[in-house]
Amino acid sequence: MYKITLLLSIIFTQQTVTAANDIDFKWISESYIQFNRSQISETKINPGNELFLLNEQTISFDQRLDFKLMINDGIIVFRPRWIYSSNHFETQLTQKSQTIESDKTDITDFFYQQNWTSNFATNIGLQVYQWGPSEFLNSSNPFFHFKSNRQSLTYKEKGQILLRFNYDLNSQNNLVLILQPVSNNDLGWLADQDFKPQAAIKYEIKSKTNSLDYLGAVIGKSDNADFFVGEYGQIIFENGISLYADIKHTENQLFQGPSTDSLGFVELTEFYQPAISTLGILGLRYEDDFDFRFEYIHNSIGLERKKFESFLDSIAQTSVYQIKNFVKFERSGLELLTKDYIYLSMRKSNLFNWNEFNVYLRSITALMDTSGLEQIEIEKNANDSMNVFSQFSLYRGKENSEFRLSNDWSGSIGFKIIF
């Protein structure tokens, strides 16, 4: 946090001293109040909820502020966040029943953007930067990783400290250099690894006849591999159908995988995939009075069935490795646990001709064991400053399958207040 504050304070001081006119300041507040209820799955890695202590009931208050200071051709954005939650969990074997209150103050974004010319801009600081046409995962982006709740209406990604240099060669061609020199102080996605700087160069070209048709290429150095190459793009057809892809190829990728010692105990240890590994999405979209997507996701480094079962055994077995395995299980360096998935989603606005009443349907299936998740979310604007929302998720599959490792079902209801 010290690095973030020092970096942005220098920028802020310079700008407020040098600028003499064209200054504008805006701010907005978003408050989320939400109640969540879940039924915990019975699994071999969390028998009776004794190990994970998953919450069956949560009441949360999420306060987000958004400050923007515009100075001539530059803008400073500052977004602090405060979350309070009351979490209740129960265990079956030890008969624990406990409610824990917690709160956390954080900064999700804090950056300075400057347009130096009509075709050159820089952006420095804590920021979220993503690209590509897919909904489920931005495969070619090494700076942000998959999170299971990223499609939720209340999800907010925390930024990374990035230096971005954006150059438009012309109206169709764009070049971006992205550097990540320091950490944002969150836990990394790969256990037992210190932060490593990352860098990428991204080139994107748009069609002359339709700016929604584009192709992009990315190359760079990620924190868990020697280098990567990515490509993404989409083609729009006249009947509302589009085809798109977002793919990344990585050499010598590092991750935590299961290995068995001479006594039969499983330990999660570091593995390198020396061959080129591929993480990619191929998608089909139809957009008219509703939005429908079909996406196929392939993760070549994902675990096959026997390795997946060993991965679970690393937590289930009582051994000298169990505590360390638990940490590595949560931060394995794998974007997705297994190899192949099918994702479906549909969004319908103004359903039943109700203004600003939106419905979202999502389904994800792991092809290895056909387990999956069905989810429905609805939201309705009560007025200009209040939004009511609700969500229900149903986790399907056999016991100990990929999507039945935490919950059988979960539901929530809440509202958002804006001023």
Side-chain angles (χ1 to χ4, degrees), residues 8 23 32 99-100 114 180 185 215 219-220 250 261 280 312:
L8 274 300
I23 297 177
Y32 295 80
T99 299
I100 299 177
Q114 178 66 47
Q180 185 184 9
N185 287 340
L215 293 173
I219 185 170
T250 307
D261 68 11
L312 300 186

Side-chain angles (χ1 to χ4, degrees), residues 287-299:
E287 190 174 17
D288 192 6
D289 59 341
F290 70 96
D291 187 355
F292 173 79
R293 290 175 182 261
F294 170 91
E295 296 184 351
Y296 166 69
I297 303 101
H298 177 65
N299 177 32

Side-chain angles (χ1 to χ4, degrees), residues 10-67:
I10 293 173
I11 297 170
F12 183 83
T13 302
Q14 290 177 340
Q15 287 303 305
T16 52
V17 170
T18 56
N21 50 28
D22 293 334
I23 297 177
D24 189 20
F25 176 75
K26 296 179 180 179
W27 73 280
I28 189 172
S29 168
E30 292 185 353
S31 301
Y32 295 80
I33 300 174
Q34 187 172 7
F35 172 78
N36 180 271
R37 185 76 171 85
S38 301
Q39 179 172 298
I40 309 303
S41 299
E42 179 64 28
T43 65
K44 67 179 182 180
I45 64 173
N46 188 35
N49 198 28
E50 297 288 344
L51 184 58
F52 290 168
L53 302 178
L54 298 175
N55 297 316
E56 293 186 348
Q57 182 174 300
T58 298
I59 301 174
S60 64
F61 176 77
D62 185 351
Q63 177 63 58
R64 308 174 190 178
L65 297 174
D66 187 339
F67 300 97

Side-chain angles (χ1 to χ4, degrees), residues 347-363:
R347 174 180 55 83
K348 182 70 174 74
S349 300
N350 302 324
L351 188 64
F352 308 125
N353 293 322
W354 295 355
N355 289 333
E356 301 185 50
F357 178 61
N358 303 316
V359 178
Y360 307 84
L361 300 174
R362 306 183 188 96
S363 174

Side-chain angles (χ1 to χ4, degrees), residues 209-308:
T209 57
N210 185 354
S211 62
L212 296 178
D213 293 343
Y214 61 86
L215 293 173
V218 192
I219 185 170
K221 174 69 174 67
S222 58
D223 58 357
N224 68 330
D226 290 345
F227 76 91
F228 75 93
V229 176
E231 56 272 351
Y232 65 93
Q234 72 175 6
I235 301 175
I236 307 290
F237 300 99
E238 292 183 358
N239 56 3
I241 295 177
S242 62
L243 296 174
Y244 57 87
D246 190 341
I247 306 170
K248 180 173 65 176
H249 314 281
T250 307
E251 183 181 50
N252 208 25
Q253 183 173 342
L254 174 65
F255 65 99
Q256 302 285 354
S259 63
T260 305
D261 68 11
S262 59
L263 298 177
F265 294 109
V266 181
E267 179 185 10
L268 295 183
T269 59
E270 294 178 357
F271 284 89
Y272 283 93
Q273 176 67 22
I276 298 293
S277 59
T278 299
L279 175 67
I281 290 182
L282 299 177
L284 173 68
R285 183 179 185 181
Y286 173 77
E287 190 174 17
D288 192 6
D289 59 341
F290 70 96
D291 187 355
F292 173 79
R293 290 175 182 261
F294 170 91
E295 296 184 351
Y296 166 69
I297 303 101
H298 177 65
N299 177 32
S300 68
I301 205 172
L303 303 172
E304 296 179 345
R305 186 178 296 275
K306 289 186 177 180
K307 286 290 186 180
F308 176 76

